[in-house]
């Protein structure tokens, strides 16, 4: 066994404290501040536990929970890439893979490999567990945006057509969540929280 | 099936967004602010995944993860009761049980009962999973305090004897974590981060 195994585990645990300082574009419902990625990851894990019955396919809930707890740790180095930023998306994969190499590399080899594989699986999105995890990750910002009167959409000039286009793959993980999101988005448009595309 | 099952799940998910606004007495290592309970819960879940091999007894990692994700949700109503506040401790249990009734009562009955049972198990601390979850919850503030030069200890006039007395039960869940905490605390004393008891 790695003589420094415990030390490496603790070093990683200290390192990921930084995820609490990475800000997302979404706003909290009950406080006037942006959400950070650590608390977002907690929220997704709770959703995985509670909403697994709405996945399109049977999922391993414990694996999905672990996957969403880990899915954004790369943002410690790579930052939060805004979901609607097409330019930042171009090198997102390169930045995040370098981050994964460094961050998961802090851990003992077996544990680093396990978390890295979970992250790769989430990013690739080809398994039932990953499809459901991705659906949760896409669903939550719709709730936050709707319940903050479209604040983040307005700040970034996001229109309904882009929200639909970028999020429709949610249906591959959970038709139920996509149905709920669609209803919220329709209501957001009717309430003036989310503009239609300008012609 | 409860006709409002999905609505109750979503209502709970929206309600627990408030956990991100509950502040603890610990400070982040890399940013000048208090930690909130949602991000703390995420951090404990990561620790459960990575440190389970150091539990005194075999534990069910998935259950421990779920337990720590849920363990502080009652603070939405009951607030964070400071670990060293003997007065607040007197009615902590009453406040938190009322909070658990209301919060877990938002969920469909089966899911509310499952999370409530996990929370009760954590609070009672009589199973291997709960003993390990409690050890993680006691260990993490030692790391935060040590790596912020004892900031929270200083603010509340905490001395080494009280830290040892309040945290020694950590050893029941993980002798390894308690050994590590003891070494950190000794070093904190020698560096002047943690005073000895005044006579």
């Amino acid at each position: 066994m790695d003589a420094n195994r415990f030390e490496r585990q603790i070093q990683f645990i200290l390192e990921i404290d930084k995820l609490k300082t990475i800000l997302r574009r979404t706003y909290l419902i009950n406080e006037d501040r942006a959400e950070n990625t650590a608390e977002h990851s907690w929220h997704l894990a709770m959703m995985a536990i509670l909403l697994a019955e709405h996945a399109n396919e049977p999922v391993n809930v414990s694996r999905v929970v672990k996957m969403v707890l880990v899915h954004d740790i790369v943002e410690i180095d790579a930052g939060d890439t805004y979901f609607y930023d097409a330019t930042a998306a171009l090198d997102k994969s390169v930045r995040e893979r370098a981050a994964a190499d460094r961050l998961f590399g802090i851990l003992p080899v077996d544990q680093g490999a396990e978390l890295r594989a979970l992250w790769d699986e989430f990013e690739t999105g080809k398994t039932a567990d990953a499809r459901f995890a991705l659906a949760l990750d896409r669903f939550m910002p719709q709730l936050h945006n709707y319940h903050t009167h479209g604040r983040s959409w307005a700040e970034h000039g996001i229109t309904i057509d882009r929200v639909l286009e970028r999020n429709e793959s949610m249906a591959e993980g959970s038709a139920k969540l996509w149905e709920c999101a669609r209803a919220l988005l329709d209501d957001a448009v009717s309430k003036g929280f989310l503009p239609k595309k300008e012609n």
Side-chain angles (χ1 to χ4, degrees), chain A:
Chain A
M1 195 168 91
D2 185 345
N4 297 319
R5 185 172 177 87
F6 183 67
E7 287 69 25
R8 295 175 74 168
Q9 292 167 335
I10 297 297
Q11 191 191 337
F12 182 82
I13 286 162
L14 291 170
E15 179 69 20
I16 64 174
D17 205 52
K18 293 176 183 166
L19 201 62
K20 302 169 188 171
T21 72
I22 305 295
L23 297 184
R24 294 163 48 81
R25 265 61 166 200
T26 42
Y27 290 95
L28 300 191
I29 300 171
N30 303 284
E31 197 170 78
D32 183 24
R33 69 167 174 86
E35 185 185 38
N36 73 60
T37 302
E39 61 198 2
H40 159 70
S41 302
W42 166 79
H43 213 165
L44 285 195
M46 288 302 306
M47 290 174 73
I49 292 167
L50 295 169
L51 301 179
E53 67 199 47
H54 306 296
N56 289 351
E57 306 154 89
V59 292
N60 179 329
V61 181
S62 301
R63 284 192 84 244
V64 177
V65 167
K66 208 187 268 197
M67 196 179 287
V68 298
L69 289 171
V70 167
H71 83 293
D72 272 343
I73 284 178
V74 294
E75 293 185 4
I76 288 170
D77 285 357
D80 177 55
T81 303
Y82 185 43
F83 192 59
Y84 298 98
D85 184 339
T87 309
L90 293 174
D91 69 344
K92 175 175 186 279
S93 168
V94 174
R95 285 182 286 114
E96 292 193 344
R97 270 185 276 133
D101 289 346
R102 184 185 81 77
L103 288 158
F104 297 130
I106 296 170
L107 282 167
V109 173
D110 60 318
Q111 292 189 318
E114 188 202 350
L115 298 199
R116 173 61 181 257
L118 272 174
W119 178 73
D120 284 336
E121 181 177 335
F122 175 84
E123 287 295 309
T124 313
K126 299 289 186 205
T127 63
D129 290 350
R131 278 189 289 271
F132 183 58
L134 282 161
L136 296 171
D137 197 33
R138 284 176 183 155
F139 179 70
M140 193 65 222
Q142 316 313 321
L143 281 187
H144 271 131
N145 259 305
Y146 180 82
H147 287 279
T148 56
H149 296 192
R151 180 171 174 186
S152 179
W153 288 324
E155 283 184 357
H156 299 92
I158 305 300
T159 49
I160 177 70
D161 59 297
R162 294 186 68 198
V163 178
L164 293 175
E165 178 202 343
R166 288 287 280 133
N167 288 286
E168 65 182 359
S169 64
M170 193 192 301
E172 295 168 21
S174 172
K176 177 72 178 176
L177 290 183
W178 181 232
E179 175 196 320
C180 173
R182 287 292 303 261
L184 281 179
L185 293 169
D186 284 347
D187 197 46
V189 170
S190 75
K191 285 181 169 150
F193 300 164
L194 179 57
K196 291 189 178 167
K197 189 177 182 175
E198 286 180 30
N199 291 311

